[in-house]
Amino acid sequence: MALNPRNRTAWRTLAGLVVVLATLFGGLALASTLGSATWAPKLGLDLEGGSQVILEPVVVGGREPNAQQIEQAVDIIRQRVDAQGVAEAEVTTLGGRNIVVSMPGQMTEATRQALERSSQLSFRAVLQSAPGTATPTSTTTGTGTSTATPTSTATPTSSGATARPSGSATTSSARSGFPKALQATTPSPSGTGTSASGLTANATPAATTKSTATKSTGAATPAAKPTDGSDLAWITPALQQQFDSFDCATDVAKIVDDPAKPLITCESDFSVKYVLGPVEVFGRDISDATSGLQTLQSGQLGSLYEVRLTFNAKGATDFGRVTTRLVSLTGVRNQFAIVLDDVVISAPTVESAITAGTASITGSFTAESAKALADQLKFGALPLSFQIQTAEQISPTLGSDQLRKGIIAGIIGLLLVVVYSLFQYRALGLVTVSSLVVASALTYTVICLLGWGYDFRLTMAGVTGVIVSIGVTADSFIIFFERVRDEVRDGRPLKSAVEAGWSRARRTILISDTVNFLAAIVLWILAASNVRGFAFTLMVITVIDILVVFLFTHPVLQLLAGTTFFGGGHRLSGLDPQRLGAKTVRYVGRGRVALGAPRGAVEGGPS
C-alpha cells in the first residue's frame, strides 16, 4: 500500500486516536496505582447499595417545623450532599417531617457533619475582594482596582457582587434574577429600585473607582486593634497571605466560620472571593422575607420583582447601626455581604442608612428567582439543625441480577448489530465491528475515570443509556457506508467514492449527533433522580461516537480503499460495483458520461 498523501493523513489520524487511547488508559492505570481509582466503574445506589440516614429537623425552642421549612431543609441537605462529591444521592421526606438521605457507598465523617450542622445565615461587612482564583504573590498593590457601584444604572450580575478588580472578568450578567438594589421599603417614584434610602447591590458600573482595600492599606500592623466590623485592622499580614493564595474552586470546603473573626469566602458561583469582617447581623434576626412585584410610590404595583426583608427589634437596631457606618465608606468596604452556609449569596453596597427594620432587594428578578432568594433569606435564617435518628447500610434496590440482565441485553444488542452489519455489508461490516470495539474501550475508560475524578456512578438508567447508544453509534457508520455505496453506484472509483461519501455523510452525522446531544442536555436539566444518569451517559457516548467516526472509521476506510480486496471491488467486500448496480462511466474530455448499468447488475439492489 503506497503511502500517498491521503494514506499519510489517514495514518496520522489513527496515530492521534492511539495517543488518545494511550492517554486514557495510562491515566486510569496511574490513578489506580497511586490513587483510589479502580478498573471497574462505580455503581449507583440501585446496583450497589449504600448508606441511609434518617434526619429529624430540630428548631430552636422546640417548635415544630412547618411544611415550608421541611421543603427548604431538603434543598439544603441536597446541596450539602452534592458538595461532598456524592453522586446519585437521593433526598426525600418521610411522614412529612423527617428527611431520608440515601447515598451509594460508605458515609464519610465529613458528610455526616455536613448533614447535622445547622443552616447559618449572617451579614458581614466586606473588607476586600478579588477574582476567585489564587492571586500571584509578586508585585504591586494587593487586590488592585475594584469596581464599585455608586450609581443605580449598573447592570446587575448574577450573584449580586459587583466589586471586582480592574480587568477581571465579571460574572455573566445574562443570568438574571439577582439583586440590583437593597433599599428601604419606601417605594420609589419610578419603581426602579433607585431610592436614595437603601443599599445598591453589586453590579458593573459605567465608571470604576479605586478600592480602598488594597494590600498597602489592608494589611494592618499586628498591634492595631479593630474598632468595628469594617476596620481594616482585621486584615493581618497572615490573613492577607491566606487571602492571596485562596482559590474558590478548591478551598471553599475548608472554610471554618467563626462569627467573631474575619472570614475568607467566595460568591456562590466562585467568581469572586472576599475578606469579610465578623458577623454583625445574624440570620435569626430576620423575622420574614417575601417576594413579589414592587409597590410604587403611587401605591400601584410596578413591573419589577423585589424581595422584602423584615427584621426583629434587635436585627433592626444592628442593621441600622451597620448601614449607618457603611454609607460613609467607599469601594468594596461599602458592601454588606449576606453569607449562607459559608458562601456569599449577595453583597450589596450601601447608599444610605436603613434604620426602620425593613428593606427591599430589587434587580433583574423573575418571579421564580425572587422567590428563591426570599426562601434562602427566610429559611436559611432559621437556626435549623438536623439530628440523625438512624443510620444503616441498605441493600441495592435492583442488585447484581438486574445489572447482569442489563449487561446481557447490551451484549445481545451488540451481537445483533454485528450480525446485521456482516450480512448487509459483508467484509465492510468488520469496520463497524472494529469501530464499536474502539467506542466500547473509550466509553469504559471514560466512565471509570469519571467515577474516580467526579464520583460518577453507573446506575441502571446509565446502563440503559449505554445500550441505547449502541444504536446511535451504529447509525453513524451506516450513514457513512451508504453514502460511499451511493457514490460507487454512480460509477466512481472506490478511493474517490470514499472521499465524496465522507463529505456528504459528515454533515449528516454531525447534525444527528448534535440533536442527540441537545436532547440529552434537555433531559439532564428537566429530569429528576436516576433518569439523569441515562442523559449523562447518552451525552458522553454521543461525543465518543463523533471521535470514533472521525478518528477511526473514516481513516480506516481510506486505507482499505487502496487495497486490492476492497478497491478492486471483491464480491465479498460489500463494495462490489456489479452487485451495487454501478453505472458504467466513460470519460469524455474533462467530464463523464453514464452509459447505464452493466449486464446482469441490479440497479440499486442490496449487496
Side-chain angles (χ1 to χ4, degrees), residues 214-236:
T214 59
K215 211 176 263 189
S216 59
T217 60
T221 61
K225 185 177 180 180
T227 57
D228 55 50
S230 299
D231 196 331
L232 292 176
W234 290 109
I235 307 179
T236 63

Side-chain angles (χ1 to χ4, degrees), residues 23 45 59 72 103 130 133 192 195 268 298 304 316 339 353 369 379 431 442 468 486 511 522 536 562 570:
T23 302
L45 189 65
V59 182
Q72 183 68 11
M103 62 188 70
T133 55
T192 58
S195 168
S268 56
S298 62
L304 296 180
V339 182
S369 59
F379 300 119
V431 179
L442 284 170
V468 170
D486 285 344
I511 292 173
V522 172
F536 184 79
H570 192 279

Side-chain angles (χ1 to χ4, degrees), residues 406-418 421 432 436 439-440 443 463-478 537-538 541-542 545:
I407 293 175
I408 291 175
I411 293 174
I412 292 174
L414 186 61
L415 289 177
L416 289 175
V417 171
V418 170
S421 298
T432 300
L436 288 173
S440 300
T443 301
V463 174
T464 305
V466 173
I467 296 172
V468 170
S469 68
I470 294 174
V472 174
T473 304
D475 275 347
S476 300
F477 309 147
I478 292 173
T537 53
L538 191 59
I541 297 176
T542 299
D545 173 45

Side-chain angles (χ1 to χ4, degrees), residues 88 456 461 523-525 527-537 539:
E88 298 293 345
F456 171 72
L523 188 60
W524 168 268
I525 295 173
S529 188
N530 290 340
V531 178
R532 302 183 74 189
F534 171 84
F536 184 79
T537 53
M539 281 190 286

Side-chain angles (χ1 to χ4, degrees), residues 53-120:
V53 296
I54 298 179
L55 303 172
E56 179 184 8
V58 179
V59 182
V60 169
R63 300 187 305 272
E64 284 292 319
N66 57 41
Q68 286 181 309
Q69 294 169 359
I70 295 296
E71 182 181 348
Q72 183 68 11
V74 168
D75 292 337
I76 293 171
I77 290 296
R78 185 176 289 113
Q79 292 170 7
R80 290 177 180 177
V81 171
D82 291 344
Q84 299 297 318
V86 180
E88 298 293 345
E90 297 179 1
V91 184
T92 58
T93 59
L94 178 65
R97 188 179 190 279
N98 293 336
I99 299 174
V100 181
V101 182
S102 304
M103 62 188 70
Q106 294 286 338
M107 181 186 299
T108 64
E109 184 60 29
T111 302
R112 177 184 290 270
Q113 292 176 359
L115 294 178
E116 289 183 303
R117 78 172 187 266
S118 62
S119 179
Q120 301 291 339

